[in-house]
Amino acid sequence: MAQVWSGLFNEISHKPLPPPAVSCVLNPFPSPCLPPCACFQLLKALTPEENSLCQHGLYFQDGQRRVDYVLTYPVKKPSAGRSSRQSTHLLTENAVARSLRHSSSLLSSPAADVELGCPGETFGGQEDHKAFRREEFEGKLRDMGLELEKDEDTKVTGVGFVKIHAPWNVLCREAELMKLKMPTKKVRLQSSGVVEKISSLVSKVLEPLRPHLIVESHSQAHIITCICFFPAGITSLLGSGVYTAAYPLHDLLYEEWANYSVFYKYQPIGLVRKYFGEKIGLYFAWLGLYTQMLIPASLVGVIVFLYGCATVDDNIPSMEICHPKNNITMCPLCDRVCSYWKLSTACGTARASHLFDNPATVFFSIFMALWAAMFMEHWKRRQMRLNYEWDLTGFEDEEVSSDHPRAEYEFRVMQKSLSKDQKSKMEKLTCRDRLPAYMTNIVMMLLMIGVTFAIVFGVILYRISTKAALHMSSNPITRNHVQLTVKTTAAIINLVVILILDEVYGAVARWLTVLEVPKTDKSFEERLIFKTFILKFVNAFSPIIYIAFFRGRLVGRPGSYLYVFESYRMEECAHGGCLMELCIQLSITMLGKQLIQNNLFEIGIPKLKKLIRYIRSKQGAFQEEERQKKLQRYETDHFLEPFAGLTPEYMEMIIQFGFVTLFVASFPLAPLFALLNNIIEIRLDAKKFVTELRRPVAARAKDIGIWYNLLRGVAKVAVIINAFVISFTSDFIPRMVYQYMYSPDGSMHGFVNHTLSYFNVSHFQDGKEPMDPLHLGYHVEICRYKDYREPPWSSTPYEISKEFWAVLAVRLAFVIVFQNVVMLMSDIVDWLIPDIPKDISLQIHKEKILLVDLFMKEEQGKIHILESSYRLSTGCKENCSRSDNNNSTAAHPRSGLHTNSTKSL
């Protein structure tokens, strides 16, 4: 069966301490369904206020034994004249009587779980069966040495509580069984005087940023937390309704971690790990490092943005567009209702586009690719340091062996065995058994992706139709702000749809994973993460990918436009390019997801669920006086939201990492907004874990698992996408081609005219020409549109010109060169930065030497003991021999003298 062990804490006091009250999660007993686990305590001094606070529901009735774990179960409200203890006694008697009637069926087949149901039983019979299971379970806990205390006369109507305490001797026994590690010898790393002084100086500078933790004391020892593995069997009892909840209690970790006023301080990661376990500790360590790494990226992004602001007045293309003497007449943006327009009206869009479309964005794209590589390497080093500090360096083997089958998997296997009537043979689920689930997964995944594409297409139709409708408005202000109105409203619609589909896709991914019936919890989590990531990634980035790579490229030309449903003309990009529209879509989606999901989903929904559970538990009990009293800690935690895993937290950050890296060429301020969000996100998640969620059972983990592979994948894809954004979405390549190939003086003068083609308005299709052929009082004969095509007076009118092919060739070449150069630089960064910090590798090496020395000394001691024993035994034999010889000499003097003379010779 699965076993999980945990490293002991950093240091133990030199003076012996009396066995303290141990805050420990459930220590299950060895059995076929409940594997063993171990718990450990952290000795911590508490202030009198904190000690007083902990007394409210954190201890048994005697005030000495600490409540380490709580189980809740449903109880019926006692009738008049009967106490809760009497009802509990009768319930126990019924359960025992029923167990006598059904002892053969229950004991002979322990695998027959309550989840299978009991057909034909009444509701009372089912309740008796659940009570029997509880008594059996709790009896085995007592046999294991745990101490239990029941409380049914609580302020929570219809809920009974089982408080569990693990004595000191149980902890010591389990620690021995789990082969837990203790420090054998303190080793201080030797450093030079200069390095030590620099380290001391840095430590003093960073002292205000470190959390003020309570110093350990030997006089007033108390336990904050424990690290333990949750038994697999209790999941079955929870699922079948034998127990309704199982959780440890909250106590500390608020002031110096889950408080917004300490946002500028480092996180107490070591304390978080001891409170929640390594798995959650690694998440917050990763989130803290990610937030720190966003600081240099934000600074460079702001510098790039400021460079665009500083050079906007010197940008020649935008100056040509905004010049008042510019009288270039552009072709209509839509059929019939749209009229001709002057290029100078796009002055504001052109100037705004330069803020994000300038030569510095190319540098920033390269920088962000290298930043992602450095972030990944830095995290590997940080993770290795945490593995060493948390004693996880040898955890891999135990981690693999801890993957026990899930209850659902065993239930399906048992169903398969029963259907084949092969109870003795060990069955397992094969690919054939899972084939219907696999087919359902493929079909549903494709269907969900198709739904996302359909919604994106629907927003495209909204933009096209809304643009035509606004151009028909009689209000001149409305007609002048058509582009801004359409872009903003479409981006908001995309945001709302993304937020809704995120929740839908999360539920669908979980349902599809349940259909597959993975064997282990690790396999279930990885499959769920992969499906959720695919669906949410496509959902978040489909509108952005459309704007970046497809919008404005499937349009056609005047006189031969491309239509959807024969009536909707495909939309074009503004003259400043699609990069500005991409920036608007990206910023609204990113900021909207962060603000709405953080504030509404992460704060509002847990509070709402907590309120609903509280109201339901109080129905019909508001008149009772005892209900108005302060709830105990174990009663308060009962109303908290159950912990559902770290998948939503990681997923939110992975999607944000995509916004920061994938399209950073179009939005240099993305790292800054991510940094500001994460500063709040850390404390928000901390507060949610401490005050809004039930304290999760601590779980060990050596790394962040599949999330690291997803991060690497996003970082690799970001290089390719940014190469295409620079090449095809921005005007960087056309500007370079014009300046070095077509400009008469090597400057950017004439670039705007070079990118515009000519169209004879008499070549419009029937019914597609503007209703008002006049523009500013004169008849238009030639209009311009953005494309590389031959003029109408050439021998091949409106055909693609040679300039188009030259620009396309340079664009493709840039993609290949940029991608390979940046990936090569990333690999060089990966190679230059070692995965293991030098001091950690030296320390591990020294510990191995110490371990070898310890073994050698132990072997030498054994050899010395053996030699001593041998000498003693040899001396004993010699003494015995001498005694025999003396006796022989006394009887035969001459013989003895001859013998002694011979020995002396």
Side-chain angles (χ1 to χ4, degrees), residues 450-561:
V451 168
T452 302
F453 291 162
I455 291 176
V456 172
F457 184 72
V459 175
I460 294 172
L461 296 181
Y462 161 80
R463 278 200 294 257
I464 296 173
S465 58
T466 303
K467 184 186 296 184
L470 292 178
H471 275 291
M472 297 174 62
S473 174
S474 58
N475 190 343
I477 300 178
T478 303
R479 292 196 303 269
N480 293 334
H481 296 85
V482 169
Q483 294 290 339
L484 180 61
T485 303
V486 172
K487 293 175 187 176
T488 306
T489 56
I492 294 175
I493 292 174
N494 275 323
L495 171 63
V496 174
V497 171
I498 287 172
L499 294 177
I500 295 174
L501 290 184
D502 266 354
E503 302 301 316
V504 175
Y505 288 163
V508 170
R510 178 170 291 276
W511 173 66
L512 293 177
T513 308
V514 170
L515 287 181
E516 292 183 359
V517 195
K519 183 177 181 180
T520 63
D521 289 329
K522 183 178 180 181
S523 176
F524 181 91
E525 184 180 17
E526 289 180 350
R527 297 186 185 200
L528 174 62
I529 290 171
F530 181 75
K531 294 182 182 66
T532 307
F533 173 76
I534 293 296
L535 293 176
K536 292 192 174 184
F537 185 87
V538 172
N539 180 41
F541 291 100
S542 290
I544 300 173
I545 291 175
Y546 162 74
I547 295 175
F549 303 125
F550 296 99
R551 184 176 178 180
R553 287 163 181 80
L554 303 175
V555 178
R557 60 171 180 82
S560 181
Y561 283 114

Side-chain angles (χ1 to χ4, degrees), residues 816-840:
I816 296 174
V817 173
F818 182 90
Q819 173 184 336
N820 287 277
V821 169
V822 173
M823 286 191 174
L824 177 62
M825 296 172 66
S826 301
D827 292 338
I828 292 175
V829 170
D830 190 358
W831 176 72
L832 289 177
I833 302 177
D835 294 343
I836 304 177
K838 186 176 181 179
D839 59 333
I840 297 298

Side-chain angles (χ1 to χ4, degrees), residues 276-311:
F276 291 109
E278 284 84 355
K279 193 170 186 179
I280 295 178
L282 282 173
Y283 163 71
F284 281 101
W286 174 84
L287 181 58
L289 178 64
Y290 172 49
T291 304
Q292 291 177 13
M293 291 293 292
L294 283 172
I295 296 176
S298 302
L299 293 176
V300 178
V302 171
I303 292 173
V304 170
F305 178 76
L306 294 178
Y307 170 81
C309 296
T311 60

Side-chain angles (χ1 to χ4, degrees), residues 723-777:
F724 277 95
V725 168
I726 295 172
S727 297
F728 290 90
T729 307
S730 73
D731 284 336
F732 175 76
I733 298 299
R735 288 197 299 263
M736 295 298 101
V737 171
Y738 174 79
Q739 184 175 0
Y740 295 105
M741 293 181 62
Y742 298 103
S743 176
D745 55 358
S747 67
M748 294 301 297
H749 291 285
F751 170 73
V752 174
N753 185 68
H754 177 75
T755 58
L756 297 178
S757 298
Y758 295 87
F759 178 73
N760 192 335
V761 298
S762 62
H763 295 164
F764 272 120
Q765 296 176 346
D766 293 337
K768 306 298 183 182
E769 67 277 0
M771 291 186 295
D772 184 12
L774 299 179
H775 181 65
L776 299 178

Side-chain angles (χ1 to χ4, degrees), residues 61-349:
Q61 294 294 333
D62 56 13
Q64 300 295 325
R65 294 172 295 172
R66 184 178 175 84
V67 178
D68 301 320
Y69 207 79
V70 174
L71 301 174
T72 67
Y73 58 92
V75 294
K76 295 181 180 179
K77 185 176 180 180
S79 57
R82 180 176 288 183
S83 66
S84 60
R85 292 187 178 180
Q86 291 174 337
S87 63
T88 305
H89 180 66
L90 292 176
L91 191 62
T92 305
E93 287 183 350
N94 293 335
V96 173
R98 187 179 182 280
S99 68
L100 293 175
R101 294 194 302 269
H102 299 281
S103 59
S104 59
S105 61
L106 286 172
L107 298 177
S108 61
S109 58
D113 200 276
V114 185
E115 291 178 343
L116 301 178
C118 299
E121 289 187 354
T122 62
F123 176 75
Q126 292 181 357
E127 291 300 315
D128 290 347
H129 182 69
K130 293 179 181 179
F132 167 74
R133 295 298 300 273
R134 283 196 294 270
E135 292 297 325
E136 183 183 35
F137 180 78
E138 294 164 8
K140 291 182 179 179
L141 293 181
R142 293 188 180 94
D143 294 341
M144 191 62 188
L146 300 178
E147 299 175 0
L148 278 65
E149 182 179 86
K150 283 192 173 182
D151 187 2
E152 294 186 356
D153 188 17
T154 65
K155 305 176 185 64
V156 183
T157 306
V159 178
F161 296 87
V162 178
K163 296 175 282 187
I164 302 173
H165 169 72
W168 178 254
N169 60 336
V170 174
L171 293 178
C172 295
R173 181 190 65 205
E174 293 296 328
E176 291 291 335
L177 293 176
M178 302 308 297
K179 300 179 181 179
L180 298 171
K181 298 180 181 180
M182 280 285 293
T184 57
K185 182 178 180 181
K186 290 185 179 181
V187 179
R188 178 171 296 178
L189 290 175
Q190 299 294 332
S191 59
S192 62
V194 178
V195 175
E196 188 174 355
K197 289 180 180 180
I198 295 176
S199 177
S200 176
L201 179 61
V202 172
S203 179
K204 290 181 180 179
V205 172
L206 298 179
E207 184 63 28
L209 302 180
R210 303 187 187 281
H212 298 290
L213 302 178
I214 305 171
V215 181
E216 294 185 8
S217 173
H218 305 315
S219 61
Q220 188 181 11
H222 193 68
I223 307 306
I224 291 182
T225 184
C226 75
I227 299 174
C228 156
F229 179 74
F230 193 76
I234 197 66
T235 307
S236 175
L237 298 177
L238 290 171
S240 58
V242 177
Y243 291 102
T244 56
Y247 51 89
L249 299 182
H250 282 296
D251 38 32
L252 297 178
L253 264 188
Y254 182 82
E255 291 298 330
E256 289 297 328
W257 184 52
N259 196 342
Y260 291 111
S261 62
V262 294
F263 71 92
Y264 59 93
K265 292 186 178 182
Y266 291 108
Q267 299 182 83
I269 294 297
L271 198 58
V272 173
R273 167 249 177 174
K274 293 169 184 176
Y275 191 87
F276 291 109
E278 284 84 355
K279 193 170 186 179
I280 295 178
L282 282 173
Y283 163 71
F284 281 101
W286 174 84
L287 181 58
L289 178 64
Y290 172 49
T291 304
Q292 291 177 13
M293 291 293 292
L294 283 172
I295 296 176
S298 302
L299 293 176
V300 178
V302 171
I303 292 173
V304 170
F305 178 76
L306 294 178
Y307 170 81
C309 296
T311 60
V312 66
D313 293 331
D314 300 328
N315 184 37
I316 295 177
S318 61
M319 291 172 60
E320 290 182 349
I321 294 175
C322 299
H323 199 279
K325 295 183 179 180
N326 187 355
N327 59 354
I328 298 178
T329 302
M330 303 296 293
C331 297
L333 296 176
C334 61
D335 294 337
R336 299 293 295 172
V337 296
C338 296
S339 182
Y340 302 103
W341 56 284
K342 288 294 185 180
L343 182 60
S344 57
T345 59
C347 175
T349 304

